[in-house]
Amino acid sequence: MKKTLLIFAFGVAAIATVSAQGQKVWTFESAPFEVKSYVANTELDGLTILAASGKNVDIDANGKKNGDYSFTHRLKLGGAATVDKGTAPWLPTERAVKFNVSGAGLIKIAALSSSSSADRRLILSNGTDSLYNFSAPGTYSADGNTVPLESYQYTGGAATLYLWSPSSGVNIYLISAPALQTSVEKLQLQGISFNGREVINENKVGIEVYNLLGNKIAESNANISMERYSKGIYFVKVSGTKEVMKINR
């Protein structure tokens, strides 16, 4: 049983390495996003929709553009977010979205008011403070097909951020934010890599190598040669951490 659990744990860590470094972009046009009304908190591709019955958030088809972007769908907040103005005025619990960022970087948001005759405000907060707010216009272009792209330079550290309206409905076409670092990227920052023959340990930290059964087959504060082992999949981790790099010998 213990070995089975180890295999499962390593499998999850390996899957978590697929996100690309840089910006994470959501445009709501393909799976796992669906054209539907969300009536409960739902996490999709790293973006959590905060919703409830009667406080729904919808995704539907709607074509808009901005420069090189061509949008086919939108996320409709549907109304003012639910917040406790007395104790937690910057922590929305319904009719909002939240996402994690890895640290400082550029955040972009493409949005329009759900009313063509009234601008509406969007707030970006971190749960305890307002970071940025701007007006989502009711009408942005003469042809009605263009949506503005708002940019904000986030200077904080890793955090959970919230995007919401304090008053009325806003339609969001794009959110772009600094992507979370993957396990592989975190290990690479510590000088760990694999060249096909050996695990390179540039900073001489304690590293461990495991096989698919979850057995530790090597550990060292130096490079580890893999040429003595059978071809197959192995996992490398820094001692005392949870970050795992999958390698193929």
Side-chain angles (χ1 to χ4, degrees), residues 125-183:
S125 65
N126 61 6
T128 56
D129 293 293
S130 173
L131 301 176
Y132 185 66
N133 71 85
F134 65 95
S135 290
T139 301
Y140 183 68
S141 63
D143 62 9
N145 291 326
T146 303
V147 58
L149 189 64
E150 192 78 14
S151 296
Y152 167 67
Q153 185 63 45
Y154 174 67
T155 58
T160 299
L161 303 184
Y162 300 81
L163 185 63
W164 50 286
S165 171
S167 54
S168 298
V170 174
N171 302 327
I172 301 172
Y173 292 83
L174 171 143
I175 301 172
S176 174
L180 291 175
Q181 288 180 331
T182 66
S183 293

Side-chain angles (χ1 to χ4, degrees), residues 7-22:
I7 294 170
F8 176 75
F10 284 139
V12 170
I15 291 171
T17 65
V18 297
S19 296
Q21 188 178 21

Side-chain angles (χ1 to χ4, degrees), residues 49-155:
I49 296 172
L50 301 176
S53 179
K55 298 284 187 176
N56 51 291
V57 173
D58 299 337
I59 292 178
D60 69 1
N62 186 265
K64 288 289 187 292
K65 62 184 179 180
N66 179 289
D68 293 334
Y69 290 107
S70 181
F71 307 115
T72 60
H73 290 72
R74 61 185 176 181
L75 182 144
K76 301 168 65 178
L77 292 179
T82 301
V83 295
D84 186 330
K85 295 182 180 180
T87 60
W90 307 115
L91 182 63
T93 56
E94 296 163 342
R95 281 186 170 160
V97 295
K98 69 176 182 178
F99 52 92
N100 295 324
V101 295
S102 58
L106 190 64
I107 295 174
K108 296 181 180 180
I109 301 161
L112 287 172
S113 167
S114 61
S115 169
S116 61
S117 60
D119 296 352
R120 288 171 177 169
R121 193 158 57 105
L122 266 179
I123 292 176
L124 182 70
S125 65
N126 61 6
T128 56
D129 293 293
S130 173
L131 301 176
Y132 185 66
N133 71 85
F134 65 95
S135 290
T139 301
Y140 183 68
S141 63
D143 62 9
N145 291 326
T146 303
V147 58
L149 189 64
E150 192 78 14
S151 296
Y152 167 67
Q153 185 63 45
Y154 174 67
T155 58

Side-chain angles (χ1 to χ4, degrees), residues 191-235:
I192 311 299
S193 61
F194 181 61
N195 64 10
R197 301 183 307 277
E198 62 180 349
V199 178
I200 306 300
N201 186 0
E202 293 180 10
N203 296 327
K204 310 304 179 188
V205 298
I207 57 174
E208 303 166 358
V209 180
Y210 293 80
N211 62 19
L212 270 174
L213 295 177
N215 296 319
K216 185 193 297 184
I217 62 169
E219 61 180 322
S220 177
N221 290 87
N223 295 352
I224 296 178
S225 173
M226 297 298 294
E227 292 186 305
R228 74 187 76 173
Y229 301 108
S230 302
K231 291 187 179 296
I233 294 173
Y234 296 88
F235 302 94

